[in-house]
Amino acid sequence: MSETVTTPVVRPTAAAPALGGLGLFTVLLAAALPLVDFFIVNVALPTIGADLHAGEAVLELVVAGYGVAYAVLLVLGGRLGDLFGRRRLFLGGMAAFGLTSLACGLAPGAWSLVAARIAQGASAAAMLPQVLATIQAATSGGRRARAMSLYGATAGLSMVAGQILGGVLVAADIAGTGWRAVFLVNVPVVLAGLALAVRLVPETRSQHPEPVDGPGTVLLAVSLLTLLAPLTEGRAAGWPLWTWLSLAAFPVAAAAFWIVERRADAAGRTPLVPPSLLGLVSLRRGLVLMLPFSIGFSGFMFVIALALQQGARLGPVPAGLALAPMAVTFLFVSLAGPRLIARYGTRVVTAGAGIQAVGVLLIVLAAWRDWPHLGFGSLLPGAAVAGAGQALQLPNVFRIVMSEVPPARAGVGSGVMVTTQQSALALGVATLGTLFLTLVPRVGMRDALVTALLVQLAGVVLTGLLSLRLPRTVG
């Protein structure tokens, strides 16, 4: 008597969509655009002010309006990508970024430029979270690690390259466009990106899409606005009553946001920022570390642009190119990041903070010794060393933060991470920029620059200390 053995039927599962090499290039190109545009205006602000007859407060809004809209809407952009499809949001956000860049470049006046910049920040918030979420959902293993490292390298390089590119474009005055070229240059890049993305970026979405958290979205927006708006506009506006009331409202709004999110999580709903996601050690500690790093980075870029143009009397091109050594060393050192992390773990980040601290000290010494004859030669050693240190930190921290986030929550995780980074970038311009501009009339440009750099140095030291709490290995 023979037994009949039944073999269970194994149903084939759909393979996860794959992100190829050219597709990765396409999403990294999109990741570069918003960060380039955050910094590209730093060296163009004096020309914009002269051309549009704009005062200091309005010019700060050109920077702050973009940064605040971008930061406020990033988490929502990530959630919408999970819900409606990341490729769809990516394409829509990129197209909107191109249109709003065109509006910035054609703006007839200062306030229309501010409005276009706010819209540009909102479109960037729809596009950028889809980049990290797509990488997380459409790659795995070593390919994901390399892609995350390349994303971090792209982000860091974009921030430096944006300032250099801004100076070159303003000075080139292409077809008489002047400062407008810093925005119009985005249009052909976006058109090329869209043509590539339609064919090469796979569609991914959460298998269990979650509805938008309305109360959480509103409270997060209120929290960020009550903090960033007064800090960015307060000094230029003379610190009127609304700035102090807004700052007083920030802790209340932040506490209300956290309470609402915890209650939604406990009730089985999906909050905008799930507290359970912050339970991931690598994500939580990586985000805390990202704050002082990004505050110092953006504050430095803003302050050095003003000091070189208004104090050292350099033109837009020399002011931008003075930071070229930082970009070059960042690029080459960041390429070694994945191998270094695999061999030495997260202590690479600690070493990076130490190297950056040496670079900032060299810049402080150059500013103290050579002022007002500060330029490419004076800044070269410090900028090169600082760039190498930053390259060991930023790309690796991005990878660490996302290492434990499940693909189903990739949109939420990337939105939280980029919101933290963008809020810190805006805070850096507001805090270090305000400190520098407040000190200039009292102690002079050189001492104000040195003071701002020493504050940044303290942030670098804090980053190094916080890096000691990171998990030793990265998944």
Side-chain angles (χ1 to χ4, degrees):
M1 183 176 175
S2 62
E3 292 183 357
T4 303
V5 179
T6 58
T7 304
V9 176
V10 179
R11 299 184 182 277
T13 56
L19 183 68
L22 199 51
L24 177 61
F25 168 80
T26 304
V27 295
L28 291 180
L29 177 68
L33 285 172
L35 287 168
V36 165
D37 267 59
F38 185 87
F39 290 92
I40 201 169
V41 298
N42 281 349
V43 292
L45 285 176
T47 311
I48 293 172
D51 187 40
L52 299 182
H53 309 290
E56 191 176 321
V58 178
L59 288 177
E60 288 195 4
L61 274 177
V62 171
V63 178
Y66 175 86
V68 171
Y70 187 21
V72 163
L73 296 172
L74 272 165
V75 178
L76 178 61
R79 175 61 60 83
L80 291 174
D82 287 349
L83 189 62
F84 297 112
R86 292 157 189 150
R87 180 176 180 271
R88 182 181 300 178
L89 261 290
F90 178 79
L91 292 171
M94 182 178 270
F97 191 86
L99 289 172
T100 52
S101 296
L102 182 63
C104 289
L106 300 178
W111 285 107
S112 58
L113 176 59
V114 170
R117 283 283 282 174
I118 292 171
Q120 190 187 33
S123 63
M127 174 178 65
L128 189 66
Q130 319 318 324
V131 174
L132 274 171
T134 299
I135 290 173
Q136 194 80 348
T139 60
S140 60
R143 290 187 67 249
R144 180 185 294 171
R146 286 190 295 274
M148 287 299 299
S149 295
L150 286 171
Y151 174 88
T154 300
L157 192 60
S158 299
M159 291 189 274
V160 182
Q163 205 136 308
I164 298 171
L165 181 62
V168 172
L169 288 173
V170 170
D173 193 21
I174 302 167
T177 54
W179 61 266
R180 297 178 187 275
V182 304
F183 301 113
L184 295 175
V185 70
N186 292 332
V187 177
V189 176
V190 165
L191 290 174
L194 286 171
L196 290 170
V198 167
R199 296 188 299 110
L200 300 167
V201 177
E203 179 64 281
T204 64
R205 68 177 72 201
S206 175
Q207 294 180 349
H208 305 286
E210 299 153 344
V212 172
D213 172 17
T217 300
V218 172
L219 285 170
L220 177 62
V222 171
S223 300
L224 291 174
L225 282 170
T226 53
L227 175 66
L228 296 177
L231 288 178
T232 52
E233 281 298 295
R235 188 199 61 83
W239 298 106
L241 179 61
W242 72 265
T243 58
W244 299 108
L245 292 176
S246 181
L247 287 172
F250 165 68
V252 178
F257 169 72
W258 187 244
I259 290 169
V260 165
E261 297 298 274
R262 289 189 63 180
R263 286 179 178 173
D265 215 13
R269 300 190 300 273
T270 305
L272 188 70
V273 180
S276 56
L277 196 65
L278 297 178
L280 300 174
V281 174
S282 58
L283 182 138
R284 184 177 67 253
R285 294 182 180 177
L287 291 180
V288 171
L289 183 152
M290 193 179 291
L291 286 170
F293 178 89
S294 298
I295 288 171
F297 191 100
S298 65
F300 166 79
M301 298 296 285
F302 181 76
V303 166
I304 201 71
L306 290 178
L308 291 177
Q309 288 192 92
Q310 297 181 6
R313 302 298 178 189
L314 297 182
V317 172
L321 291 179
L323 298 176
M326 182 179 288
V328 171
T329 56
F330 189 103
L331 173 63
F332 286 105
V333 174
S334 63
L335 295 177
R339 293 192 299 275
L340 292 172
I341 281 284
R343 183 170 181 179
Y344 300 107
T346 57
R347 289 299 175 261
V348 171
V349 178
T350 310
I355 294 169
Q356 186 188 359
V358 173
V360 174
L361 272 175
L362 290 173
I363 295 172
V364 169
L365 291 174
W368 184 265
R369 182 189 64 235
D370 298 338
W371 190 264
H373 307 293
L374 199 61
F376 181 89
S378 300
L379 293 175
L380 191 154
V385 173
Q390 290 162 350
L392 293 176
Q393 295 173 81
L394 187 62
N396 295 320
V397 170
F398 277 138
R399 180 180 164 192
I400 290 164
V401 168
M402 295 295 289
S403 61
E404 296 180 304
V405 177
R409 284 188 158 180
V412 178
S414 63
V416 170
M417 185 180 80
V418 181
T419 297
T420 303
Q421 182 203 21
Q422 185 60 38
S423 301
L425 291 177
L427 272 174
V429 173
T431 53
L432 277 180
T434 297
L435 173 67
F436 173 74
L437 291 171
T438 302
L439 288 176
V440 167
R442 302 176 184 179
V443 300
M445 186 77 73
R446 184 194 69 172
D447 290 354
L449 174 60
V450 167
T451 302
L453 289 170
L454 291 175
V455 172
Q456 185 203 2
L457 180 62
V460 174
V461 172
L462 177 59
T463 301
L465 294 175
L466 289 171
S467 71
L468 297 173
R469 301 183 69 245
L470 293 172
R472 286 300 299 267
T473 58
V474 184

